[in-house]
Amino acid sequence: MTIFKDIIDGKVPCDKVFENESVIAFKDIAPQAPIHLLIVPKKEIKNLQSLPSEDMPLLGEVIKVAQQLAKEFDIQEGYRLLTNNGSLAGQTVFHLHFHLLGGRRLNDGLA
Ligand code: AMP
């Protein structure tokens, strides 16, 4: 059980920007860019490495939502979509999610 599960279940409020039956997206509480959204498959999956092959279609869903939100938030010319897998990579919430970052020139390099 994670904070994101509570958000999905409506027990914890969020600044929601998208929801359908399989994915929810909301604003990150500690934004690292002018636009910082989290795109979260509702199914409880710990991280990318734990994604079972039958759930791979969820990644397509996430990308579709990212494209739509990038348009909506007017960052389609430059954004980053990323996931942190494991604490060594900076993962702090162990429910699969993708950061959609944009709204300024993003730093060179990935790490
Ligand atoms: P990660 O470090 O990749 O696991 O990302 C977790 C992200 O969740 C961080 O960027 C946090 O700022 C964000 N976060 C944690 N709690 C909340 C919350 N209640 N609402 C929105 N974002 C949150």
Side-chain angles (χ1 to χ4, degrees):
M1 195 63 146
T2 66
I3 183 82
F4 288 177
K5 177 66 175 150
D6 285 340
I7 288 173
I8 291 161
D9 291 344
K11 293 182 191 153
V12 167
C14 71
D15 199 341
K16 185 160 59 181
V17 294
F18 177 87
E19 182 168 20
N20 68 12
E21 63 291 335
S22 53
V23 174
I24 188 170
F26 47 87
K27 294 187 179 172
D28 196 292
I29 207 169
Q32 295 185 33
I35 308 296
H36 186 172
L37 308 176
L38 297 172
I39 304 174
V40 184
K42 289 183 175 177
K43 188 164 179 183
E44 280 189 285
I45 297 164
K46 191 171 88 170
N47 55 30
L48 197 64
Q49 194 62 26
S50 312
L51 184 74
S53 46
E54 69 265 23
D55 288 326
M56 291 293 171
L58 278 175
L59 299 182
E61 281 278 319
V62 165
I63 289 171
K64 238 190 327 189
V65 173
Q67 289 176 329
Q68 185 179 318
L69 289 172
K71 231 187 227 173
E72 232 171 85
F73 283 82
D74 202 23
I75 58 168
Q76 66 271 44
E77 296 306 322
Y79 63 82
R80 208 164 270 163
L81 180 66
L82 64 89
T83 188
N84 293 321
N85 184 88
S87 42
L88 270 181
Q91 186 176 9
T92 57
V93 178
F94 288 86
H95 181 123
L96 179 64
H97 57 279
F98 294 78
H99 299 256
L100 179 64
L101 296 149
R104 64 162 162 78
R105 173 163 290 279
L106 297 170
N107 300 326
D108 292 347
L110 288 174

